[in-house]
């Protein structure tokens, strides 16, 4: 077959090859990869442009950079993630400003730029990636899309969030459980008091602010236990969490001031819980018992269950200090519930799927107690 340029003839070749993106077999994909590999290298620029179009279309369909990276990482290989990262960085560079939280997602993308050296492997990687991109469903939007009118950019991070971040970083780094307990307890109390402050402002001068939403990755292994933990953190902090198991994330709905703290606390508690589980497994091995999947599942489920109770207790205690604000808090909670129902009118409960391990559950509950969310250390029964 003769070579063709990357404009007219090359575009025709790409259109022909892209028919394989909608086929149900891999043979069509191999045939299309061979077609692209035999074409002039000038088609590569058009291939990249088409990829950027796919990405741009997905922004309008509710997807964000972290969502795409998470999905491709779950389904394909490192080279596909690197190619996707390159497409996303190129596409988003065209905008003067990006929506809030997008820059942090871009910073987390794979920084590698290497690609397969032979033409067939490169074409196969491109087609496998694009096949996933064109088949992704529409998601409920959790924020503005690049190119839309954006609210004024915030200058710096709120002081409260900086304090919470610092407390949780220290809790994760310390080797002393009691110190981690005190630091994490202080972080949750700060979050509860901040939510109370926001309710105070809303009660004094009602604003047009409505609940927003963010997506937080909830990935294997033991994703069900992790989703339960995130739900517990969200609920205790006046938010709601809805788990999308198929695409590995939960959508947390709440007022803007509560969303970032929820993500910070969830991430920190997951780090602390994983470290505690590792220590418990070491004790198991020292006692001559094998570490098992059921032990880890039961550990994390107990950890999430117990922490949920303790987080909520802390929030209730702080709220009780200002009883006149309870109606304002209830009004904000109702707004969050209504917004969640608007975004997800067809949610359903999911039964816990985990093998039972009594020692895992006991260790997990104990680890949750040691995470400490009460400054006076009175543990819930």
């Amino acid at each position: 077959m003769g070579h063709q340029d990357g404009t007219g003839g090359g575009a025709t070749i790409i259109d022909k090859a892209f028919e394989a993106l909608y086929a149900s077999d891999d043979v069509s994909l191999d045939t299309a990869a061979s077609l692209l590999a035999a074409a002039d290298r000038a088609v590569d620029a058009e291939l990249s442009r088409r990829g950027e179009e796919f990405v741009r279309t997905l922004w309008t369909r509710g997807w964000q950079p972290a969502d795409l990276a998470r999905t491709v990482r779950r389904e394909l290989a490192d080279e596909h993630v690197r190619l996707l990262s390159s497409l996303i960085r190129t596409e988003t560079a065209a905008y003067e400003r990006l929506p809030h939280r997008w820059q942090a997602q871009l910073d987390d993308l794979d920084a590698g730029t290497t690609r397969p050296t032979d033409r067939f492997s490169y074409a196969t990687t491109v087609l496998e990636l694009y096949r996933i991109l064109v088949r992704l469903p529409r998601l409920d939007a959790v924020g503005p899309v690049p190119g839309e009118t954006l609210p004024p950019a915030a200058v710096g991070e709120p002081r409260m969030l900086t304090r919470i971040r610092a407390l949780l970083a220290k809790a994760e780094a310390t080797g002393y459980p009691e110190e981690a307990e005190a630091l994490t307890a202080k972080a949750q109390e700060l979050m509860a008091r901040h939510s109370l402050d926001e309710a105070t402002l809303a009660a004094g001068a009602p604003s047009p602010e409505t609940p927003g939403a963010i997506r937080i990755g909830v990935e294997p292994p033991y994703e069900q236990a992790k989703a339960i933990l995130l739900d517990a953190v969200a609920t205790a902090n006046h938010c709601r969490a809805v788990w999308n198991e198929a695409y590995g994330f939960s959508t947390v709905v709440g007022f803007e001031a509560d969303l970032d703290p929820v993500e910070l606390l969830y991430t920190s508690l997951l780090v602390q819980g994983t470290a505690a589980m590792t220590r418990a497994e070491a004790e198991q091995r020292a006692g001559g018992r094998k570490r098992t999947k059921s032990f880890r599942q039961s550990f994390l489920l107990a950890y999430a269950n117990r922490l949920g109770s303790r987080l909520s207790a802390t929030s209730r205690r702080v709220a009780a200090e200002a009883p006149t604000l309870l109606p304002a808090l209830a009004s904000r909670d109702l707004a969050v519930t209504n917004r969640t129902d608007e975004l997800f009118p067809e949610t359903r409960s999911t039964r816990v799927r985990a093998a039972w391990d009594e020692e895992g559950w006991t260790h997990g509950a104990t680890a949750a107690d040691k995470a400490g969310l009460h400054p006076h250390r009175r543990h819930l029964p």
Side-chain angles (χ1 to χ4, degrees), residues 7-347:
T7 53
T12 302
I13 290 174
I14 291 174
D15 288 336
K16 181 66 177 175
F18 275 14
E19 293 176 7
L21 302 182
Y22 306 93
S24 58
D25 61 292
D26 287 337
V27 174
S28 298
L29 201 78
D30 290 341
T31 301
S34 297
L35 185 65
L36 291 175
D40 192 278
R41 285 183 177 272
V43 302
D44 290 2
E46 177 66 10
L47 273 177
S48 296
R49 190 188 69 78
R50 299 285 187 98
E52 292 163 28
E53 285 184 356
F54 290 148
V55 167
R56 187 157 50 250
T57 297
L58 286 168
W59 300 157
T60 67
R61 292 173 62 81
W63 291 77
Q64 296 187 358
D67 304 322
L68 293 183
R70 186 184 308 113
T71 298
V72 171
R73 192 177 297 113
R74 283 161 61 101
E75 300 294 331
L76 297 173
D78 289 345
E79 58 265 28
H80 302 89
V81 177
R82 287 193 293 268
L83 176 59
L84 173 70
S85 299
S86 177
L87 291 173
I88 291 175
R89 282 194 295 267
T90 302
E91 201 284 326
T92 53
Y95 303 101
E96 183 178 349
R97 279 185 58 207
L98 291 171
H100 179 46
R101 298 188 180 92
W102 278 52
Q103 188 57 54
Q105 296 183 36
L106 296 179
D107 292 342
D108 287 339
L109 292 176
D110 193 303
T113 57
T114 57
R115 74 181 203 184
T117 53
D118 68 279
R119 298 285 295 159
F120 180 78
S121 295
Y122 172 65
T124 300
T125 298
V126 169
L127 292 172
E128 288 174 339
L129 173 63
Y130 291 5
R131 181 168 59 177
I132 279 188
L133 297 184
V134 300
R135 296 181 179 189
L136 290 176
R138 181 179 294 276
L139 297 177
D140 294 289
V142 295
V145 174
E148 291 182 353
T149 300
L150 301 175
V155 179
E157 185 176 75
R159 183 181 176 190
M160 178 277 307
L161 197 59
T162 303
R163 291 178 64 194
I164 291 173
R165 191 186 302 279
L167 286 167
L168 294 176
K170 290 179 181 178
E172 294 165 26
T174 182
Y176 300 96
E178 289 190 355
E179 183 181 10
E181 174 183 342
L183 291 164
T184 307
K186 183 62 177 176
Q188 170 59 24
E189 187 164 339
L190 272 177
M191 290 170 63
R193 293 193 182 284
H194 178 66
S195 221
L196 205 62
D197 290 342
E198 291 293 315
T200 302
L201 292 173
S207 73
E209 181 191 8
T210 57
I214 59 173
R215 293 193 191 103
I216 298 175
V218 180
E219 302 189 56
Y222 317 118
E223 58 267 44
Q224 190 172 54
K226 294 174 183 177
I228 291 172
L229 175 61
L230 177 52
D231 180 71
V233 175
T235 301
N237 289 284
H238 309 287
C239 296
R240 293 276 302 277
V242 178
W243 182 33
N244 185 320
E245 183 177 7
Y247 290 104
F249 63 77
S250 282
T251 302
V252 178
V253 183
F255 283 93
E256 187 66 28
D258 295 322
L259 294 176
D260 285 336
V262 163
E263 182 171 17
L264 280 175
L265 183 58
Y266 163 71
T267 303
S268 179
L269 289 174
L270 192 56
V271 169
Q272 294 182 54
T274 301
M277 183 176 67
T278 301
R279 290 192 296 269
E281 285 188 322
E283 294 176 10
Q284 292 278 298
R285 289 194 298 273
R289 293 179 293 274
K290 294 181 179 179
R291 60 178 184 173
T292 64
K293 182 176 181 180
S294 61
F295 176 89
R296 293 189 288 270
Q297 286 178 327
S298 298
F299 181 101
L300 288 175
L301 285 168
Y303 181 77
N305 181 67
R306 184 64 65 91
L307 270 174
S309 298
R310 305 192 66 213
L311 285 163
S312 294
T314 298
S315 292
R316 288 195 300 271
R317 176 177 57 80
V318 171
E321 296 173 7
T324 59
L325 288 175
L326 292 180
L329 283 172
S331 176
R332 288 168 71 84
D333 287 344
L334 179 60
V336 170
T337 297
N338 290 340
R339 180 58 178 152
T340 304
D341 292 342
E342 289 174 8
L343 288 173
F344 306 102
E346 298 180 359
T347 56

Side-chain angles (χ1 to χ4, degrees), residues 343-371:
L343 288 173
F344 306 102
E346 298 180 359
T347 56
R348 59 182 175 83
S349 300
T350 300
R351 297 184 64 181
V352 174
R353 303 183 305 275
W356 171 258
D357 184 291
E358 184 175 358
E359 292 208 17
W361 183 271
T362 301
H363 278 83
T366 301
D369 285 338
K370 288 182 178 178

